[in-house]
Amino acid sequence: MNQISTQTPKATLQKRRKKFADSMDENSAALFLSAEVHHRNSDVEHKFRQDSSFWYLTGFNEPDSALLIVKTKKETVNYIFSRPRDKEKEIWTGKIAGPERAKEITGVDKCFEFKDLDGQLEKLLTGLSRLYFEFSLANYHFLRNKILETAKHRRIQRITSTQNLIGELRLFKEPFEIQQMKQAAKISAEAHKLAMQRAKPGKHECTLEGIIEGHFCLCGAGWAYPSIVASGANATILHYTANDQELKKGDLLLVDAGSEYNYYASDITRTFPIGGPVGGKFSKAQKQAYELVLSAQKDAIAQCYKKEVTFESVHEAAVKVLCEGLLDLGLLKGKLSDNIKNKTFRKFYMHKTSHWLGLDVHDVGSYVEPQDSKRVSKTASAKTDTSRILRPGMVITVEPGLYFDPEDTNIPKEFRGIGVRIEDDVLITKTGAEILTSACPKEVDELEEILGL
């Protein structure tokens, strides 16, 4: 979470809650719980980060809070539950809004203290037939059990996850959200360029991690996910986070790092030779792998500019180019169509090309096209097997890669231990697409210039 917060406009929060309520069944309620504070060790706590969906609907940044939306035939009422003011606690951990201030911040109709949630549910769920509530999340275990008991006691006939409904709303980014994501992308691109300039043999991966995340903090942001700074064969480990190895001349460095600004994520990966006066340029094999991945990424991004293209087609475009290149390099054998059909490429490319991006780095939203987009409440769970059509307001990553096992004696020695991934964030627009992370260099000549090679 960033340190310099731009509050979501109250009118935006109210509009979001209305959209969510419109998708609810009549005579139902929806309950969202905040994140809770998690202990790291002893009396040390992890830094608090609000639950994304709770933040999306409330813009309220405190633990021990809840949002309740009650929809009847007569009216829809929004309730906020939050901690009371406590001067003793505030001395140690800072100001607490209190219910009345929470009501003002969020623009809801009524407020209560969080400790009264169970008792108020007994009253407010009376006569309702359905509760939308996400039981699968890990926070507030004891409270969740009480909520379930209360729902049963109030004879709630159906308890349904909120994930489909809220995912459908969060999938389409508003102008305010796009502004935050563009700023996150800008900060991340700057941090990656700093890392490129300072990646020298003899330094350590964690040094660059500090440079990147330090820049995030200087810009009022935080990290959207733990940074991956993987040199040499470490780059073949997809979620490498040890970041403790020394940088060596002749190795590639894969950096997967993205800032989170006002809760909105960016996600950039770049791979480059470790530079400096005693560094080196791409070796032949490194350059072949890199240019192949870059070509695959360009073809995949090109799909995003087409009208009503599917999410899966972005992946298919990348796979086709990678397979063609691996065949040309002699790393795959046989026909292109057979390799694609039999997924032989997965030995070298084992993940998907894209995912949704937003409040979470792997954001919510169905990857399958709803049968009837006009009725989210019904269609979010009534899906076909058709891949989702990319539409304006959606943001995806495009991140093909190649990873060559350092212990694989069945491939030429010069390829062993090479890991390459190139990732950008792409906003789907009414006229095509916009690459939010275009300020981050990725062409070979651009990299060599910034690396001083």
Side-chain angles (χ1 to χ4, degrees):
M1 184 186 69
N2 62 297
Q3 301 300 310
I4 304 172
S5 179
T6 300
Q7 180 63 43
T8 309
K10 192 185 299 184
T12 298
L13 298 170
Q14 291 170 329
K15 183 179 178 181
R16 290 173 182 174
R17 291 195 296 269
K18 184 180 184 305
K19 282 185 176 181
F20 185 87
D22 288 345
S23 70
M24 294 167 57
D25 284 350
E26 198 172 273
N27 206 39
S28 67
L31 179 63
F32 294 86
L33 296 179
S34 70
E36 60 180 332
V37 175
H38 294 284
H39 285 84
R40 180 182 182 273
N41 62 298
S42 185
D43 59 350
V44 178
E45 296 172 347
H46 284 287
K47 189 174 182 179
F48 178 74
R49 202 280 189 187
Q50 189 57 280
D51 174 82
S52 294
S53 289
F54 183 82
W55 173 261
Y56 179 79
L57 293 171
T58 68
F60 189 61
N61 191 32
E62 288 189 14
D64 299 336
S65 304
L67 170 71
L68 180 68
I69 303 172
V70 178
K71 179 181 179 180
T72 64
K73 186 175 183 179
K74 180 181 177 182
E75 62 181 350
T76 298
V77 183
N78 293 267
Y79 303 84
I80 192 77
F81 296 79
S82 69
R83 302 177 297 176
R85 293 289 306 276
D86 186 323
K87 295 295 291 184
E88 181 74 20
K89 286 184 178 179
E90 289 178 15
I91 291 171
W92 293 94
T93 58
K95 291 287 185 182
I96 297 171
E100 288 294 336
R101 176 63 180 148
K103 178 175 178 286
E104 181 184 340
I105 291 169
T106 58
V108 301
D109 304 299
K110 298 181 180 182
C111 61
F112 296 99
E113 290 187 11
F114 186 66
K115 67 180 177 61
D116 297 328
L117 176 60
D118 188 52
Q120 288 298 326
L121 285 176
E122 283 278 359
K123 299 175 185 178
L124 297 172
L125 296 184
T126 300
L128 302 183
S129 59
R130 186 170 187 172
L131 174 65
Y132 298 90
F133 182 58
E134 189 57 53
F135 278 97
S136 64
L137 299 179
N139 51 333
Y140 300 106
H141 283 294
F142 176 70
L143 178 58
R144 287 173 180 278
N145 291 333
K146 289 186 70 177
I147 291 167
L148 181 59
E149 290 174 7
T150 300
K152 289 179 178 179
H153 185 243
R154 293 291 86 190
R155 297 183 179 179
I156 297 292
Q157 297 168 12
R158 296 182 65 188
I159 300 176
T160 309
S161 170
T162 59
Q163 194 76 348
N164 288 333
L165 299 186
I166 196 67
E168 194 69 18
L169 292 182
R170 284 174 51 186
L171 183 56
F172 295 89
K173 306 303 185 287
E174 306 154 347
F176 174 80
E177 296 179 283
I178 292 169
Q179 290 173 6
Q180 312 312 307
M181 295 186 74
K182 285 184 175 181
Q183 183 63 15
K186 177 179 179 291
I187 293 167
S188 297
E190 293 169 349
H192 274 262
K193 286 189 278 188
L194 285 173
M196 291 173 186
Q197 292 166 344
R198 300 183 189 181
K200 314 294 183 187
K203 290 192 174 182
H204 285 75
E205 295 163 343
C206 59
T207 304
L208 298 184
E209 178 184 16
I211 290 167
I212 291 164
E213 295 182 3
H215 185 73
F216 293 169
C217 288
L218 286 172
C219 295
W223 50 258
Y225 53 94
S227 300
I228 296 169
V229 184
S231 61
N234 294 334
T236 65
I237 303 169
L238 299 184
H239 289 167
Y240 173 81
T241 55
N243 299 347
D244 59 359
Q245 298 298 300
E246 182 179 319
L247 307 188
K248 296 179 181 178
K249 178 179 178 179
D251 281 347
L252 293 180
L253 182 65
L254 186 156
V255 177
D256 187 340
S259 73
E260 180 180 276
Y261 184 80
N262 285 326
Y263 280 94
Y264 286 90
S266 58
D267 193 358
I268 301 179
T269 307
R270 291 295 185 264
T271 310
F272 50 89
I274 295 168
V278 293
K281 294 187 177 184
F282 286 102
S283 70
K284 182 180 177 180
Q286 288 171 347
K287 191 171 184 179
Q288 286 174 320
Y290 185 87
E291 290 185 331
L292 177 52
V293 173
L294 182 60
S295 179
Q297 197 213 28
K298 288 179 177 179
D299 271 36
I301 289 176
Q303 295 295 311
C304 299
Y305 286 83
K306 299 177 181 179
K307 288 187 177 181
E308 295 213 336
V309 71
T310 65
F311 179 88
E312 187 64 22
S313 69
V314 178
H315 178 63
E316 290 169 351
V319 165
K320 183 175 183 292
V321 174
L322 291 175
C323 282
E324 288 172 341
L326 290 168
L327 285 167
D328 290 342
L329 292 171
L331 296 170
L332 290 179
K333 306 292 183 182
K335 295 180 179 180
L336 174 63
S337 58
D338 290 339
N339 279 279
I340 293 174
K341 179 181 178 181
N342 297 324
K343 302 185 187 310
T344 57
F345 60 86
R346 286 184 62 82
K347 177 179 179 180
F348 307 113
Y349 179 44
M350 58 292 293
H351 60 80
K352 284 284 191 176
T353 302
S354 302
H355 56 76
W356 304 131
L357 185 69
L359 285 168
D360 297 317
V361 69
H362 292 133
D363 211 23
V364 293
S366 175
Y367 290 100
V368 178
E369 185 70 9
Q371 291 179 338
D372 178 5
S373 59
K374 293 180 182 179
R375 285 295 308 277
V376 175
S377 61
K378 290 185 177 180
T379 62
S381 60
K383 303 165 187 171
T384 68
D385 292 328
T386 305
S387 178
R388 192 82 194 227
I389 295 172
L390 298 182
R391 293 190 171 89
M394 296 178 174
V395 182
I396 67 169
T397 64
V398 182
E399 49 177 312
L402 286 174
Y403 313 91
F404 300 101
D405 187 339
E407 299 178 357
D408 187 353
T409 57
N410 294 315
I411 61 174
K413 186 177 181 179
E414 59 269 25
F415 284 99
R416 297 174 201 165
I418 293 177
V420 176
R421 183 164 65 253
I422 307 171
E423 178 179 22
D424 283 292
D425 305 340
V426 180
L427 167 68
I428 308 302
T429 68
K430 291 180 180 179
T431 57
E434 179 181 354
I435 304 174
L436 302 181
T437 47
S438 59
C440 194
K442 62 182 178 183
E443 299 290 343
V444 171
D445 57 346
E446 290 178 324
L447 291 176
E448 291 183 344
E449 181 179 354
I450 199 169
L451 292 167
L453 300 177

